[in-house]
Amino acid sequence: MESFWDYSVWGFFNLIAVLMISLLAANALERSVPFFKSSLIPTSVLGGLMLLIVASVYRVVTGNMMFNTDFFGGNGSDNLEIITYHTLALGFIASTFRSNEGKLTKTRAREIFNTGVTTVSTYLLQGILGLIISIVAVKMIPGFFNAAGILLPFGYGQGTGQALNYGGIFENDYGFVGGKSFGLSIAALGFLSASIGGVIYLNILKKKGRVTSIGEDEKSILSEEIQGENEIPMQRNMDKITVQVALVIVGYLIAFVFMKLLAQAIPSMGSVIFGFNFIMGVLAAALMKGALNSLKKAGLVKKEYVNNFLMTRVSNFFFDVMVVAGVAAIRIHIIKDYWAVILAMAVVGLVITFAYNRVVANRLFPDYKDEQFLMMYGMLTGTASTGTILLRELDNEFKTPASSNMVYQNFPAIVFGFPLMLLATMAPKQPILTLGILVGFFLVMNVILFRSSIFKRGKKVE
């Protein structure tokens, strides 16, 4: 029988509390220290790095892992990974529930489609170069995991949660010791790459007079952004934020049932299926959203239950917790022999993501090329929130289509990107074959992306 004063009762709460303290401390630093204020490093990344440093110093001094002490219930390191895993899906579910307004023109549909294809093409490019680095590294580092490089697109392109998911699959199913920490390290360096490349580019634009000040963005919120038409009241029998959280939790429960049934039907794919928890969450949320809309059209539901403003806050909360927990979960001592490879992948990831997306933005989005580039570069080295941070420095009112491109591109990106997720599990068995397929896939995606230029050129030759 548990005693309420035992750490077994308080350990998980203490862990959450320390994560929140690190976020508050990081926010205070970014508001008071000019360097951090202009660095554009996300607060959640800074908070996670602070915890990582403290935990590393603690281990050097005591020889023990700070998060595995009694204060955190004895298994805080594992709980950090669990928190990262779940908050990834919860954040995506909350994002899916938000309503999308406005009709798409043919031009806008093409730009959104091109944005989705660019996202997948960047994943593939990151995967190709990352896999080349790890294949070469195997020759120089005894026992190194040959498919480690495929984690680059998951860490950079998809963020902390997916880097942990696939690092865990490689660690548990293929014997990659330190796979989770390797993936999380790549993701953490991805956020730093977003800040470094973003600040460099913003300073170039500042010299051209397009940016006045970097790191300043205070915007008041209008009342109509908080309360939409025909919505349930903010407070009555149940608080409105409680309704939003309840919808997200129910959506995740449905996703769990989906994954459990699929894993029972295909036992050999259990790890991969549960690694797709965020996709299953998006599917469950879309089904719930469709059901609510159908009930509303039938007159059975009179009010709008989803509030975009609050659901965005819920989504951002989960993503902030995901990032700070994911960075703090890195176990440096496990991957200390791999830092040269990790840094090589980080630098390559920064350079190729920057260069490729700059070319695409110039060629396909000439009317708002700088805004599109900043959004895509930030998103494809960090997360959607990182892309938004960079975009706001140039387009703080979101007047260009770049922000809506980021929202709507998820569907084509998931459709075209799904094969990459399956290929990732093939890489440990057939790294060279996987590399060849990635190259072929990348070429096909670029033919699709630059189809207008290619076909026009062909007509001129005729």
Side-chain angles (χ1 to χ4, degrees):
M1 184 174 179
E2 295 287 356
S3 298
F4 289 134
W5 54 83
D6 285 345
Y7 281 129
S8 59
V9 175
W10 284 90
F12 190 78
F13 172 81
N14 292 341
L15 183 64
I16 296 294
V18 167
L19 293 179
M20 296 300 105
I21 290 169
S22 71
L23 285 171
L24 292 173
N27 183 63
L29 277 177
E30 291 199 326
R31 288 188 170 275
S32 58
V33 179
F35 170 76
F36 290 116
K37 197 172 186 177
S38 61
S39 69
L40 299 182
I41 298 174
T43 301
S44 52
V45 176
L46 182 58
L49 289 173
M50 291 166 60
L51 284 180
L52 182 61
I53 292 169
V54 171
S56 299
V57 171
Y58 183 91
R59 189 175 188 281
V60 170
V61 173
T62 67
N64 300 316
M65 295 180 65
M66 185 180 80
F67 291 113
N68 285 347
T69 57
D70 289 341
F71 183 76
F72 296 108
N75 59 344
S77 295
D78 291 339
N79 283 335
L80 284 172
E81 294 176 355
I82 292 171
I83 290 168
T84 304
Y85 171 78
H86 287 309
T87 48
L88 167 70
L90 291 167
F92 269 100
I93 291 170
S95 298
T96 304
F97 270 114
R98 292 179 300 187
S99 62
N100 301 318
E101 299 178 355
K103 294 182 178 180
L104 296 180
T105 64
K106 186 176 180 180
T107 299
R108 292 292 301 117
R110 183 175 63 252
E111 290 174 340
I112 290 165
F113 178 79
N114 286 342
T115 301
V117 175
T118 303
T119 297
V120 178
S121 294
T122 307
Y123 292 164
L124 293 167
L125 186 56
Q126 291 169 341
I128 289 167
L129 294 175
L131 200 52
I132 289 173
I133 291 172
S134 64
I135 290 172
V136 172
V138 169
K139 309 294 183 182
M140 298 181 285
I141 304 175
F144 186 71
F145 187 63
N146 58 3
I150 202 69
L151 290 173
L152 182 58
F154 294 108
Y156 268 51
Q158 297 191 16
T160 310
Q162 277 297 83
L164 173 70
N165 283 355
Y166 276 87
I169 291 172
F170 291 161
E171 188 170 316
N172 298 329
D173 295 354
Y174 298 97
F176 179 19
V177 178
K180 294 177 183 176
S181 289
F182 191 99
L184 291 172
S185 299
I186 292 290
L189 290 171
F191 282 107
L192 294 180
S193 296
S195 303
I196 293 168
V199 169
I200 289 173
Y201 194 75
L202 285 168
N203 276 295
I204 293 173
L205 294 178
K206 188 176 181 180
K207 290 180 180 179
K208 296 179 180 179
R210 292 210 59 197
V211 181
T212 54
S213 59
I214 298 175
E216 298 284 348
D217 182 36
E218 296 291 340
K219 178 187 173 186
S220 59
I221 298 172
L222 302 176
S223 59
E224 54 264 31
E225 295 181 77
I226 300 175
Q227 179 74 19
E229 293 183 8
N230 198 37
E231 289 187 351
I232 58 174
M234 194 64 70
Q235 288 180 320
R236 189 171 283 179
N237 296 333
M238 184 186 293
D239 195 279
K240 200 167 186 174
I241 188 69
T242 307
V243 175
Q244 313 307 303
V245 174
L247 289 170
V248 172
I249 298 300
V250 171
Y252 199 27
L253 177 61
I254 293 172
F256 170 74
V257 174
F258 285 166
M259 290 186 290
K260 198 68 176 175
L261 292 174
L262 276 174
Q264 289 176 349
I266 319 172
S268 61
M269 294 286 288
S271 296
V272 177
I273 290 167
F274 275 90
F276 292 158
N277 65 327
F278 78 103
I279 291 181
M280 293 299 182
V282 168
L283 175 61
L287 291 174
M288 287 181 64
K289 185 176 175 182
L292 285 172
N293 289 335
S294 296
L295 291 172
K296 190 175 177 183
K297 289 179 181 179
L300 298 175
V301 173
K302 305 296 183 183
K303 294 285 187 178
E304 184 66 54
Y305 279 80
V306 177
N307 176 274
N308 278 0
F309 176 81
L310 292 178
M311 201 59 93
T312 300
R313 306 283 74 76
V314 172
S315 174
N316 289 347
F317 168 76
F318 284 129
F319 285 141
D320 280 340
V321 174
M322 177 193 74
V323 173
V324 70
V327 176
I330 297 171
R331 306 182 193 188
I332 294 178
H333 64 283
I334 297 179
I335 55 172
K336 63 181 185 300
D337 296 331
Y338 303 153
W339 274 108
V341 180
I342 291 173
L343 290 174
M345 288 185 186
V347 172
V348 168
L350 188 160
V351 173
I352 59 105
T353 305
F354 190 101
Y356 181 72
N357 280 276
R358 191 72 197 114
V359 170
V360 172
N362 283 339
R363 292 282 299 275
L364 301 181
F365 304 88
D367 294 334
Y368 51 99
K369 58 184 179 182
D370 293 322
E371 291 85 353
Q372 178 75 8
F373 165 73
L374 285 170
M375 179 275 293
M376 291 297 292
Y377 174 74
M379 182 179 71
L380 291 168
T381 48
T383 61
S385 60
T386 319
T388 302
I389 289 171
L390 293 180
L391 176 60
R392 280 190 308 202
E393 295 296 327
L394 192 59
D395 181 19
N396 60 4
E397 297 291 336
F398 297 137
K399 293 179 180 179
T400 68
S403 60
S404 60
N405 286 350
M406 178 171 61
V407 174
Y408 289 110
Q409 63 88 33
N410 283 300
F411 179 72
I414 289 175
V415 171
F416 285 115
F418 190 75
L420 173 63
M421 298 180 184
L422 297 177
L423 280 172
T425 59
M426 174 180 150
K429 304 171 188 174
Q430 298 286 344
I432 302 298
L433 177 60
T434 303
L435 179 62
I437 295 173
L438 289 176
V439 171
F441 194 7
F442 176 72
L443 294 175
V444 170
M445 293 304 293
N446 277 272
V447 169
I448 296 172
L449 186 61
F450 296 105
R451 59 196 179 280
S452 298
S453 300
I454 294 172
F455 295 145
K456 282 182 181 179
R457 194 171 299 152
K459 288 179 180 179
K460 288 181 180 179
V461 170
E462 291 176 4

